Amino acid sequence: RAKDTGKSRCVVYSPEKFNQPEHDLSLEAAMFEAIRNGEFLLHYQPVINAQTREIVGFEALMRWMHPELGLVSPMQFIPMAENNGLINLLGAWALKSACAQTKYFCEAAGRPLHISVNVSPRQFRNEQFLDIVDDAIALSGLDSKLLVLEITEGILMSDPEHAEGLLHKISSRGVQIAIDDFGTGYSSLAYLKKFPITSLKIDRAFIKDLPSSVKDDAICNVILSLAKHLNLSTVAEGVESEEQFEFLARHNCDLIQGYYSGRPQRPEEALALLKPAAVAAA
Ligand code: C2E
Ligand code: MG
Ligand code: MG
Ligand code: MG
């Protein structure tokens, strides 16, 4: 640490290292600029009904189109944005943009489609969060029942009292609440009773080895049956194969999301998926 090297020395990081685009510090500095330049966008991954295979909605997934690096993964920039606070700005934009886009999808498709938006811990703690949700709904004109906020188990466990109050306010708007990556966190069953949750998203970790893994089969079955008994809707994440789909459909998983239902894609491409019949008939 700089402090340990004495007063007379100032530690200078090598400029080469600092300038490397993959170096986090320079990537982080670039984020501020990127927001101003409109380099962030949302991709939409289709979610299908496991019985009818019809698209019933999308999950909005954030992307950063960096001028030199190309698409930067949210796994890289969301943790940074969470650290430096930019997630509040990015998250508010994502909510408003996803709601407005989905209102348009619904009008174009002539039927209701839901939209899932991820909420990070720092956004959830932000005292303006409820206003941001209300604004996103009011500005877009989207039916609030079509909005699903995805939160993680960690968010519920870190401050259960705050979570309980806020989730009740959110659900009083009609907005749905999904537990993302279910099974990978604390998995305390107490919160399923305590909080107004509407759905569970089974993490890809339990899906990827279906149906050959006896343990994962058992875990998925237990989650699906637990959800059914609690009247929660179920979504399987990261479904890639026909075999996985068949297994989940047979075990009454409600919704399927993964490369099987479609890749996360640009809004124009997502929209085209909703209207093939109309195009063919025209
Ligand atoms: P998540 O919410 O659990 O999203 C699912 C991730 O799995 C996405 O990664 C998606 O592209 C990927 N995925 C979907 N289907 C498949 C599949 O069949 N196979 C495999 N291998 N992967 C699949 P992505 O887009 O890289 O996002 C990673 C994470 O970043 C998300 O995990 C979410 O936690 C976070 N994130 C993304 N967008 C936002 C956002 O707008 N706000 C916040 N706060 N977090 C976001
Ligand atoms: Mg998610
Ligand atoms: Mg997930
Ligand atoms: Mg996941």
Side-chain angles (χ1 to χ4, degrees):
R1 287 182 313 215
K3 201 178 160 197
D4 301 328
T5 61
K7 273 186 196 144
S8 60
R9 248 191 88 196
C10 166
V11 174
V12 179
Y13 294 101
S14 84
E16 298 90 75
K17 189 177 176 198
F18 189 79
N19 286 332
Q20 271 166 18
E22 64 272 28
H23 190 255
D24 277 359
L25 279 176
S26 94
L27 200 59
E28 185 165 355
M31 284 189 82
F32 290 86
E33 188 71 24
I35 291 183
R36 273 198 299 276
N37 294 344
E39 290 169 18
F40 289 92
L41 48 134
L42 292 174
H43 277 183
Y44 293 83
Q45 181 169 41
V47 178
I48 62 174
N49 177 306
Q51 304 308 321
T52 65
R53 295 174 186 249
E54 186 186 32
I55 295 178
V56 294
F58 296 94
E59 178 173 1
L61 293 158
M62 214 186 284
R63 300 289 180 261
W64 177 3
M65 184 50 100
H66 189 285
E68 282 126 47
L69 300 174
L71 274 189
V72 181
S73 160
M75 308 281 258
Q76 252 181 299
F77 69 79
I78 296 281
M80 274 195 285
E82 180 76 12
N83 259 309
N84 63 25
L86 281 181
I87 192 63
N88 285 317
L89 214 63
L90 282 173
W93 163 78
L95 252 172
K96 287 180 190 168
S97 174
C99 288
Q101 183 65 58
T102 304
K103 173 72 179 177
Y104 180 73
F105 284 157
C106 293
E107 279 170 0
R111 60 188 170 91
L113 292 153
H114 71 242
I115 184 71
S116 297
V117 181
N118 294 283
V119 178
S120 78
R122 187 154 175 175
Q123 285 176 270
F124 195 79
R125 283 197 306 269
N126 186 313
E127 53 194 25
Q128 284 163 22
F129 184 66
L130 191 63
D131 290 338
I132 291 166
V133 173
D134 284 338
D135 279 358
I137 295 165
L139 291 170
S140 64
L142 184 75
D143 180 351
S144 60
K145 291 181 197 67
L146 296 174
L147 175 61
V148 186
L149 298 180
E150 296 195 357
I151 60 174
T152 56
E153 297 168 293
I155 287 182
L156 299 178
M157 302 307 285
S158 63
D159 188 350
E161 256 159 57
H162 171 252
E164 190 175 6
L166 184 51
L167 290 178
H168 276 105
K169 286 184 191 136
I170 290 169
S171 69
S172 76
R173 270 66 170 172
V175 173
Q176 304 184 57
I177 297 148
I179 305 295
D180 203 356
D181 308 332
F182 184 76
T184 62
Y186 300 78
S187 302
S188 156
L189 298 181
Y191 69 67
L192 295 180
K193 177 176 153 188
K194 184 170 175 154
F195 302 114
I197 291 156
T198 48
S199 59
L200 301 183
K201 296 192 77 173
I202 309 174
D203 194 74
R204 192 178 92 83
F206 305 115
I207 305 296
K208 67 178 178 9
D209 298 324
L210 290 182
S212 61
S213 157
V214 177
K215 285 185 183 170
D216 287 330
D217 284 15
I219 291 169
C220 287
N221 267 325
V222 168
I223 296 175
L224 291 171
S225 137
L226 174 72
K228 200 110 295 176
H229 284 100
L230 291 170
N231 215 7
L232 299 172
S233 131
T234 45
V235 188
E237 286 194 278
V239 177
E240 296 181 355
S241 72
E242 183 65 38
E243 291 71 30
Q244 292 168 341
F245 176 87
E246 294 291 344
F247 177 93
L248 292 157
R250 193 153 26 89
H251 291 89
N252 295 314
C253 182
D254 298 311
L255 307 177
I256 302 292
Q257 181 184 345
Y259 298 162
Y260 184 85
S261 64
R263 299 258 170 178
Q265 48 203 297
R266 290 182 288 118
E268 315 84 84
E269 298 170 310
L271 181 62
L273 298 174
L274 298 171
K275 308 198 292 181
V279 170

